[in-house]
Amino acid sequence: MPELPEVEVVRQGLAPLVEGRRVKGVRSSGLALRAPIPLAALKKWVAGAVITQVGRRAKFLLLSLDNGALLLIHLGMTGKLYPADPAVAPRKHDHLRLLFDDGREIRFNDARRFGLVAVAPPAEAQAPALLAELGPEPLEESAFTAAYLYQRTRGRRPPIKNMLMDNRLVVGIGNIYACEILFAAGVNPFTPAGDLSRARIGRIVAATGPILRRSIAAGGATIADFANTNGEAGYFQQQLAVYGRAGQPCRRCQTPISRRLSAGRATFFCPRCQK
DNA sequence: CTTGCCCCCTGCACGC
DNA sequence: TGCGTGCAGGGGGCAA
């Protein structure tokens, strides 16, 4: 489900719910997500600690603790965080519960279990292994530059769309926003990345920030079931130019939007506007 | 090292 | 009503 804008929307909603709160206890469903929930580490480093700050790196939520440890949460495809009353029975697919000393709790619900919960002890919290290979943040304009993307794509044959979704190159861009960014840049998603001119790379980079920021401002895109911490849908999906619009007229030229697979993922583009 | 393929898992829409 | 199929915002392991 969530790409960078959706995770950022969750971060913004989660921060006021948990910052300054002390975790009283943790509960897990016992079912593994992408990896087993590290209950021992959660009890050691999270239970009893105060959450000082909620940050984000790529699609990871980073909950800093006052003992120096770091709680990492990845929402995968269907992960949701929501506040709950501890007296109310967990919902189906609630896999982690963080109970606070003020009588509230936060639950992590993840039907498909592609999410991830990890704990970095204080010694690793500044450089968690899970974040070690990640490329720059696309909203950091000094890092995700045309010069950077141009250099990193030279000699590479994979389609530019697949490369934009590779978090070693740039983080946070998934299937929706890769399609949208390339439409805005007028670049065909199947173009081998290394074939793109400096000017076209520049258009891709220039299109990225505004699209991601507009989505964050709109509360993210809710295609099926994305929800913020209040359970509310976003509305950026109303502004999508190509994603999910196969057969519908291009908003710019009226040509029907195409849908083709790229690396097994549905890829939407305007065959006329994107060359 | 790169690249494509397949898998993890559940839920939903659709056709029959 | 039920069943089979295909698809879904992610990401990692594996083989060639």
Side-chain angles (χ1 to χ4, degrees):
Chain A
M1 122 189 10
E3 303 183 33
L4 186 151
E6 290 76 31
V7 178
E8 178 60 21
V9 166
V10 171
R11 187 199 69 76
Q12 291 175 8
L14 183 64
L17 296 177
V18 304
E19 284 179 358
R21 296 240 165 97
R22 185 178 301 279
V23 179
K24 188 172 65 177
V26 298
R27 303 276 187 281
S28 87
S29 66
L31 288 177
L33 307 179
R34 210 164 86 205
I37 292 174
L39 201 53
L42 288 165
K43 288 186 183 301
K44 179 170 184 179
W45 294 110
V46 179
V50 173
I51 296 172
T52 56
Q53 190 177 29
V54 181
R56 180 189 58 74
R57 173 75 172 106
K59 296 171 188 166
F60 286 91
L61 293 163
L62 306 177
L63 283 68
S64 297
L65 302 159
D66 67 344
N67 57 18
L70 187 69
L71 171 60
L72 300 92
I73 298 176
H74 194 294
L75 301 176
M77 288 278 265
T78 51
K80 294 170 192 61
L81 290 164
Y82 70 98
D85 179 341
V88 174
R91 294 181 202 165
K92 191 176 187 182
H93 307 306
D94 278 350
H95 294 297
L96 179 68
R97 304 166 63 191
L98 298 178
L99 289 78
F100 295 99
D101 63 357
D102 64 355
R104 304 293 319 267
E105 79 172 78
I106 293 287
R107 295 178 182 174
F108 180 41
N109 184 283
D110 186 8
R112 291 178 72 181
R113 289 194 269 132
F114 290 170
L116 186 66
V117 173
V119 176
E124 295 174 29
Q126 295 307 311
L130 280 169
L131 311 182
E133 306 293 323
L134 296 176
E137 290 285 331
L139 292 178
E140 261 186 39
E141 292 177 7
S142 62
F144 186 57
T145 63
Y148 168 81
L149 186 60
Y150 186 74
Q151 182 264 320
R152 288 292 304 271
T153 51
R154 293 311 90 186
R156 302 295 304 277
R157 302 310 298 163
I160 182 61
K161 186 223 177 195
N162 300 348
M163 291 210 71
L164 287 177
M165 293 171 65
D166 182 342
N167 63 20
R168 292 166 301 182
L169 183 72
V170 59
V171 301
I173 300 173
N175 206 29
I176 293 179
Y177 296 99
C179 292
E180 294 297 311
I181 288 164
L182 291 171
F183 174 81
V187 172
N188 185 296
F190 293 90
T191 310
D195 289 354
L196 289 165
S197 69
R198 173 60 186 258
R200 310 191 81 208
I201 290 284
R203 283 201 285 279
I204 292 169
V205 171
T208 298
I211 286 176
L212 299 179
R213 276 191 287 270
R214 279 170 48 218
S215 181
I216 293 168
T222 296
I223 301 301
D225 61 358
F226 169 72
N228 66 21
T229 49
N230 288 321
E232 300 159 343
Y235 50 91
F236 190 69
Q237 68 279 5
Q238 298 168 8
Q239 300 179 53
L240 296 176
V242 289
Y243 185 87
R245 297 193 66 243
Q248 298 178 50
C250 171
R251 298 192 197 283
R252 191 184 286 158
C253 78
Q254 311 308 313
T255 300
I257 298 300
S258 294
R259 177 188 184 277
R260 284 174 49 197
L261 292 184
S262 181
R265 309 293 296 275
T267 301
F268 301 88
F269 63 103
C270 173
R272 181 165 168 190
C273 294
Q274 294 174 257
K275 297 300 185 187

